[in-house]
Amino acid sequence: MKRIAILGSTGSVGTQALEVIGAHPDLFEVEMLSAHSNAALLIEQARKFKPNAVVVTDESKYKEVKDALMMLPIKVFAGQKSLQEVVKWEAIDTVLGAIVGFAGLHSIMAAIDGGKRIALANKETLVVAGELVMQRAAEKNVAIIPVDSEHSAIFQCMVGEDIARVEKMILTASGGPFLGRKPNYLVNVKASHALQHPNWNMGAKISIDSASLMNKGLEIIEAKWLFGLRNEQIEVVIHSQSVIHSMVQFTDGSIKAQMGLPDMKLPIQYALAFPQRIPNAYKRLDFKDFPSLTFEAADYKTFRNLAIAREALQRGGNAPCVLNAANEVVVHAFLQNKVGFLEMSEMIEKTMDMVPLIEHPTMDDYEQSDKEAREYATEFLKKSQLSIY
Ligand code: NDP
Ligand code: MG
């Protein structure tokens, strides 16, 4: 029996994780759930899965959750600090990191400090502070098992293999809803278009990142830290069917791919059950439904975020943290139709030029760089709005 804590249980990954857990009550038990402000869903989940504790990080929601769960033996906590404490509880053995953005970093670090095995969906944690996170995990002898479908694919390809025998890793990208589109089209797209992903149904932030290809940029950085690669060993290929989730090419030229229908429940289940593979009844891939699988180069000119993310990786240090913070700010604004689709890349690039490079940042440096980058990006947003009116 694995005792699981889900950080971000009310999100797209969190709710699918609860489906996986609900289908295997003999294997998994929910110890803790956390949400930010969706009190109603957190309460419903707590009533159903009866965890030991729930944490609502938005403190204004504490009373609502506490009152609703009063008659149940469930401890209720509020705030980020509580989350960082509860995640270390003895009873928990696996922590699923499914909070979105920089907000997920500290609770994952706390879970690593507590010696918990990590199933990691929150890629921003590795983008921001990958070096520190992986170092701490190694010191604490903690396994980090990726949930992101590409990285889960690579992780699965690597079972039984030696990282020294890897020539390169090939991250597949669906290309998102704007595959093949050019700037003259993208200049007018709105959040409602960008949220329509052809293959995956995900939270709002990652859906915009997928449309702008920033998601793939973040995934390049995520892969570097997870697997200890050199930057040039990570390639991206557009594969619009999302059937091959990613590939590893070894030093003898042989390539392994992991395939399946695009369904996040698979990588979630794999990460929670690892090293077991457990049966399920999800729809199977039938190759006859995919008579041709296609591959093409990514359009780095139109989707500049890919190049910008590579640049951040190349600069190293706090640059990916700055990239991430600026991206979070502009994506939030884009979701409210306050900035144009193409402008997002411009503002991220400008922010990256403003925040000074720190080559070997500490956690405090990351905290500071994140803050600075958010301030600059917010300034750029304000200026661009002023210039419209
Ligand atoms: P969602 O937006 O659907 O869910 C985010 C979760 O995080 C919610 O539970 C939300 O709580 C919580 N949350 C939001 N802000 C905060 C905060 N400031 N402090 C604490 N908790 C917070 O996101 P997704 O599930 O789509 O994505 C989660 C992570 O997984 C992201 O990093 C994403 O990149 C990654 N991922 C997602 C995939 C997907 O298919 N969705 C695929 C691969 C990776 P509340 O609901 O109360 O706001
Ligand atoms: Mg992914």
Side-chain angles (χ1 to χ4, degrees):
M1 187 66 102
K2 286 202 169 113
R3 292 164 306 170
I4 317 256
I6 305 183
L7 311 181
S9 64
T10 50
S12 160
V13 171
T15 51
Q16 293 182 83
L18 283 172
E19 275 184 58
V20 168
I21 290 171
H24 298 280
D26 49 327
L27 297 176
F28 304 120
E29 198 171 18
V30 179
E31 276 296 328
M32 189 267 258
L33 297 174
S34 93
H36 187 56
S37 57
N38 190 345
L41 184 54
L42 183 64
I43 291 164
E44 187 189 317
Q45 293 176 337
R47 286 185 175 138
K48 181 165 175 200
F49 288 92
K50 306 198 169 47
N52 245 323
V54 299
V55 182
V56 56
T57 41
D58 176 349
E59 296 181 22
S60 70
K61 302 285 173 162
Y62 174 72
K63 191 170 179 313
E64 184 182 348
V65 179
K66 176 82 184 153
D67 289 353
L69 301 178
M70 203 163 50
M71 304 304 282
L72 294 168
I74 300 174
K75 297 173 198 76
V76 180
F77 300 91
Q80 295 286 354
K81 285 272 173 295
S82 303
L83 187 58
Q84 289 166 39
E85 282 161 26
V86 176
V87 85
K88 293 183 178 169
W89 278 8
E90 176 99 34
I92 298 168
D93 36 51
T94 300
V95 172
L96 171 64
I99 289 175
V100 60
F102 183 92
L105 172 63
H106 291 300
S107 45
I108 290 295
M109 279 305 250
I112 294 173
D113 282 339
K116 310 301 178 194
R117 169 217 279 270
I118 310 289
L120 190 64
N122 175 240
K123 65 191 82 186
E124 294 91 345
T125 285
L126 289 175
V127 171
V128 170
E131 195 164 12
L132 285 189
V133 171
M134 295 311 287
Q135 243 170 37
R136 190 78 62 87
E139 282 160 23
K140 294 279 174 181
N141 204 15
V142 155
I144 299 192
I145 310 182
V147 169
D148 209 349
S149 59
E150 296 77 0
H151 306 73
S152 173
I154 290 173
F155 189 89
Q156 294 180 53
C157 292
M158 286 303 295
V159 170
E161 302 288 354
D162 179 354
I163 190 75
R165 300 282 167 270
V166 171
E167 204 161 85
K168 64 178 181 184
M169 294 185 175
I170 305 158
L171 295 176
T172 52
S174 69
F178 303 140
L179 177 61
R181 298 294 188 178
K182 294 292 168 201
N184 61 349
Y185 176 90
L186 294 173
V187 72
N188 292 318
V189 297
K190 296 280 175 268
S192 53
H193 305 140
L195 287 169
Q196 309 291 321
H197 197 282
N199 304 343
W200 301 96
N201 185 6
M202 308 177 286
K205 193 252 177 188
I206 184 174
S207 296
I208 303 304
D209 285 346
S210 297
S212 70
L213 288 204
M214 180 55 92
N215 184 50
K216 211 49 58 181
L218 300 179
E219 289 183 354
I220 294 173
I221 304 173
E222 181 186 13
K224 178 195 166 84
W225 295 119
L226 268 175
F227 302 108
L229 299 169
R230 295 189 310 278
N231 302 352
E232 62 279 7
Q233 281 178 297
I234 312 165
E235 205 174 283
V236 168
V237 65
I238 303 287
H239 163 55
S240 62
Q241 298 80 22
S242 297
V243 160
I244 296 182
H245 298 311
S246 278
M247 299 175 260
V248 180
Q249 180 173 311
F250 297 91
T251 44
D252 59 358
S254 175
I255 296 176
K256 275 192 187 175
Q258 187 267 336
M259 308 170 88
L261 289 174
D263 180 350
M264 278 308 292
K265 290 198 289 303
L266 288 176
I268 292 169
Q269 174 182 302
Y270 183 84
L272 293 181
F274 182 80
Q276 321 288 351
R277 269 193 194 273
I278 54 179
N280 63 39
Y282 306 142
K283 193 166 183 273
R284 275 19 182 181
L285 170 66
D286 182 343
F287 278 100
K288 295 187 288 305
D289 293 337
F290 294 91
S292 64
L293 296 181
T294 60
F295 305 92
E296 57 187 292
D299 178 355
Y300 277 73
K301 272 213 178 101
T302 305
F303 295 91
R304 284 177 42 220
N305 281 348
L306 259 181
I308 298 172
R310 280 210 185 266
E311 170 66 25
L313 187 57
Q314 209 58 43
R315 287 188 200 175
N318 62 341
C321 167
V322 171
L323 167 93
N324 176 71
N327 183 56
E328 287 193 29
V329 170
V330 296
V331 167
H332 182 73
F334 180 72
L335 281 166
Q336 301 172 317
N337 291 320
K338 287 187 176 159
V339 65
F341 187 81
L342 295 173
E343 269 180 299
M344 287 196 286
S345 309
E346 282 168 33
M347 289 178 187
I348 295 167
E349 226 172 358
K350 285 206 270 190
T351 305
M352 280 175 53
D353 288 339
M354 296 306 290
V355 182
L357 183 70
I358 305 175
E359 276 181 31
H360 300 288
T362 62
M363 201 45 109
D364 286 345
D365 293 329
Y366 284 127
E367 194 76 52
Q368 185 57 30
S369 300
D370 175 81
K371 193 164 160 275
E372 266 177 61
R374 280 170 202 271
E375 285 166 6
Y376 280 118
T378 307
E379 268 313 297
F380 291 133
L381 273 174
K382 275 192 199 143
K383 276 189 196 143
S384 102
Q385 275 152 17
L386 283 178
S387 69
I388 297 174
Y389 302 108

